[in-house]
Amino acid sequence: MKARTMYDKIWKGHEIADLGDGFSLLHADRHLLHDGSGPVLARLRASSRPLAQPNLCFATLDHVVSTAPGRPATSESRSRTIASLREGVAEAGIRLFDVGRSGQGIVRVIGPELEPSRKDSDPIQVDRQRCAPNP
């Protein structure tokens, strides 16, 4: 009998259906978004595809925020990324752990530390390339 990896156990525990050809339908009860998720939310909005349960999604500014005191944006591009996420979560009704607010931090760290996760859940960090809707 082949030993199952932790990955396999988690995957099988959330698999609703094996769709064949290496594809599965998975259930995730929490979604953690980071600053790179702004464009995905914009594409969902543009395609008139609302989130089914925005109350189960949470977002934080992670990769593009400065660690300097006062946390200034370090470039125009980063400022646009921050604005894109803020706009997207506001329109979608997603709770944002924003800069300067309690809970803001690294997305992989805040999940286990804060409300979005519970002992009986496995939050999923959205991968914008894999979860983005078709244009």
Side-chain angles (χ1 to χ4, degrees), residues 73-121:
T74 55
S75 71
E76 182 61 33
S77 172
R78 289 180 177 197
S79 293
R80 284 192 305 272
T81 299
I82 291 168
S84 174
L85 182 67
R86 285 177 176 157
E87 179 182 325
V89 298
E91 289 185 15
I94 296 171
R95 182 174 177 187
L96 174 64
F97 295 104
D98 206 344
V99 174
R101 302 289 182 160
S102 177
Q104 187 273 329
I106 300 167
V107 72
R108 289 173 183 85
V109 175
I110 71 162
E113 289 182 344
L114 298 171
E115 175 188 328
S117 301
R118 301 181 322 243
K119 288 183 179 181
D120 62 338
S121 72

Side-chain angles (χ1 to χ4, degrees), residues 28-131:
D29 61 359
R30 300 287 187 278
H31 296 89
L32 303 177
L33 309 174
H34 57 71
D35 33 32
S37 302
V40 174
L41 294 171
R43 288 172 61 187
L44 285 171
R45 184 175 58 251
S47 66
S48 299
R49 296 167 67 182
L51 295 175
Q53 294 183 299
N55 61 312
L56 298 179
C57 297
F58 302 86
T60 190
L61 290 163
D62 179 354
H63 300 91
V64 300
V65 293
S66 171
T67 57
R71 296 189 173 187
T74 55
S75 71
E76 182 61 33
S77 172
R78 289 180 177 197
S79 293
R80 284 192 305 272
T81 299
I82 291 168
S84 174
L85 182 67
R86 285 177 176 157
E87 179 182 325
V89 298
E91 289 185 15
I94 296 171
R95 182 174 177 187
L96 174 64
F97 295 104
D98 206 344
V99 174
R101 302 289 182 160
S102 177
Q104 187 273 329
I106 300 167
V107 72
R108 289 173 183 85
V109 175
I110 71 162
E113 289 182 344
L114 298 171
E115 175 188 328
S117 301
R118 301 181 322 243
K119 288 183 179 181
D120 62 338
S121 72
D122 293 305
I124 303 297
Q125 178 186 336
V126 174
D127 180 326
R128 65 181 179 214
Q129 276 73 37
R130 294 182 186 181
C131 296

